[in-house]
Amino acid sequence: MITAKAAVLTQIHEPFEIRSYPVLPPPQGTARIRLIASGICGTDLHIQRGKIPIRLPAVIGHEFVGQVEAFEAGADSKHSVQVGDRVIVTIACPCGACLLCQSGDDANCVNMGVTNGSDPDTPPHFHGGFGEVSFAPIANLVRIPDGLDPRMTDVFACAGPTTLHTFRLADRANIPVGQASVAVVQGLGPVGLFAVMLLTRLGVRHVVAVTGHAKPERDALAIRLGATEVIGLDRVSSDDVICHVRALSDGLGADVVVEASGHPQAVPQGLQLLRNRGAYLVPGQYSDSGDVAIAPQLITFKALQIIGSSQYSVEDIRAYLEFLQAHPDLHETIRLLAAPYRVADINQAFQDAGAGKNIKTMLVADD
Ligand SMILES: [Zn+2]
Ligand SMILES: [Zn+2]
């Protein structure tokens, strides 16, 4: 019997348990995918710390990139994805029937399901991302075009589509983000770094990154990805940042601010940084990080536009892959951001990810 390893979260605040399960044929409607890389997201850290309640035990993880090994019997000819293809796997299962799905916005489905919630003792065992194998509905697979290194695509496999979805919602609201001349990105985790790349590639002239603390290596990376400057709030006061951004914009304030820090405190600052009719894009932030006082008068007085977004759809994954294809100059830099760990070393990987040691911690297949 062929077996593979899965990292099982049995209790919050506890280490993952490495279990071996038999590798079974794919059930109806699904494909079996062999791990290439599976990213550890801030959301996974929050789940492990009990900040996002889920049913345990579970194989969590939602940034799975792999190679399709098998489809349910006879299904492979019906689909655009074939056995052997490399794919990004999404765990999201929109209902297809609610008001949001019907309006073409299935990322914001009100009955959203996920593929990674089942007990790993229930066949086919590998329901989520933290395993050497994963099973997923065929509709949840997005083929990675030839010429893109699959491990490289895993670096921003969640942050990229998450950010792109927010920009798509801005587009739907007729907010011309690409015409901005001054943008601010708050926070330089994966979402912030991707927002920097996106804004600069859209042609935004000034992309100012604001972080809680200066971190020389990460800040240099942000500059390499296109940020015009990185300001650490441990060195510069919030008021000085606001003055500086106004000086860049003829006294007006930023056209666009992207909140990617996940810190509630960033929100009042973001509102202050914007010009009249400026757009505040708030992607990600999946867990409750607490409350913050804001002055609603800023929203009305400046007539601000606020776009929140937490999830994404297969369309956004396709847009992410197209973005990577359009910018080969970024590939080598992105590839080097991957800090790989074997599935069996997931507890070390989580510790390092939680300590902010890596830009992108990911599990990879054994060599
Ligand atoms: Zn994620
Ligand atoms: Zn729906």
Side-chain angles (χ1 to χ4, degrees):
M1 185 177 61
I2 298 170
T3 62
K5 289 196 264 304
V8 179
L9 186 64
T10 56
Q11 281 187 63
I12 57 166
H13 300 299
E14 290 294 323
F16 287 81
E17 207 176 288
I18 306 300
R19 295 187 190 166
S20 284
Y21 288 108
V23 177
L24 301 173
Q28 182 80 34
T30 69
R32 191 177 72 227
I33 309 110
R34 177 68 56 172
L35 172 72
I36 293 174
S38 183
I40 294 173
C41 186
T43 301
D44 299 314
L45 296 174
H46 293 158
I47 290 172
Q48 202 259 348
R49 292 168 183 166
K51 286 173 84 178
I52 302 174
I54 64 159
R55 204 172 39 201
L56 297 175
V59 179
I60 60 169
H62 57 270
E63 304 182 354
F64 193 93
V65 165
Q67 183 165 30
V68 179
E69 237 176 20
F71 287 110
E72 58 158 314
D76 44 334
S77 57
K78 293 191 298 214
H79 300 283
S80 54
V81 177
Q82 303 296 322
V83 169
D85 283 352
R86 278 118 174 145
V87 291
I88 294 182
V89 182
T90 169
I91 61 160
C93 299
C95 75
C98 72
L99 176 74
L100 278 297
C101 285
Q102 290 287 314
S103 70
D105 191 2
D106 63 1
N108 296 301
C109 171
V110 296
N111 304 311
M112 188 68 92
V114 289
T115 59
N116 68 349
S118 306
D119 187 328
D121 280 343
T122 308
H125 310 295
F126 299 90
H127 303 287
F130 294 158
E132 292 176 327
V133 159
S134 190
F135 289 86
I138 297 165
N140 287 38
L141 312 182
V142 182
R143 185 179 177 276
I144 298 169
D146 299 337
L148 290 182
D149 169 14
R151 189 186 286 192
M152 185 268 295
T153 69
D154 195 46
V155 171
F156 292 106
C158 168
T162 298
T163 312
L164 280 160
H165 187 73
T166 317
F167 279 57
R168 189 146 67 93
L169 292 183
D171 197 49
R172 280 175 77 145
N174 291 318
I175 297 169
V177 175
Q179 288 171 28
S181 134
V182 177
V184 176
V185 175
Q186 299 174 291
L188 283 179
V191 170
L193 289 169
F194 194 82
V196 164
M197 283 189 269
L198 200 51
L199 289 162
T200 52
R201 269 64 190 180
L202 284 171
V204 178
R205 196 148 62 97
H206 297 283
V207 178
V208 180
V210 178
T211 66
H213 302 275
K215 264 186 171 178
E217 219 175 297
R218 180 209 54 197
D219 297 353
L221 168 68
I223 298 288
R224 210 156 61 241
L225 294 175
T228 38
E229 55 190 315
V230 180
I231 304 173
L233 290 169
D234 52 342
R235 298 185 182 170
V236 178
S237 75
S238 193
D239 285 348
D240 285 346
V241 175
I242 292 163
C243 284
H244 178 65
V245 169
R246 287 203 182 130
L248 285 176
S249 54
D250 295 328
L252 292 176
D255 305 295
V256 173
V257 175
V258 180
E259 184 350 53
S261 75
H263 288 292
Q265 284 302 334
V267 175
Q269 185 199 49
L271 298 176
Q272 285 191 304
L273 284 165
L274 284 159
R275 66 161 164 81
N276 284 13
R277 292 293 285 148
Y280 200 20
L281 309 186
V282 190
Q285 301 208 20
Y286 216 77
S287 66
D288 183 352
S289 296
D291 299 335
V292 67
I294 60 164
Q297 177 263 357
L298 278 180
I299 300 172
T300 53
F301 192 69
K302 293 189 184 185
L304 297 180
Q305 308 172 84
I306 301 177
I307 303 282
S309 167
S310 64
Q311 314 213 49
Y312 53 84
S313 71
V314 288
E315 237 181 284
D316 301 299
I317 299 175
R318 285 201 189 97
Y320 164 63
L321 292 168
E322 281 165 21
F323 176 83
L324 292 178
Q325 276 188 299
H327 300 287
D329 56 303
L330 291 169
H331 294 185
E332 186 59 12
T333 307
I334 295 175
R335 202 177 59 77
L336 292 173
L337 301 181
Y341 297 76
R342 295 175 321 139
V343 173
D345 298 329
I346 188 168
N347 291 309
Q348 184 65 50
F350 257 66
Q351 203 177 319
D352 292 349
K357 212 175 137 193
N358 309 316
I359 298 283
K360 189 68 210 182
T361 307
M362 61 174 65
L363 305 179
V364 299
D366 294 353
D367 292 330

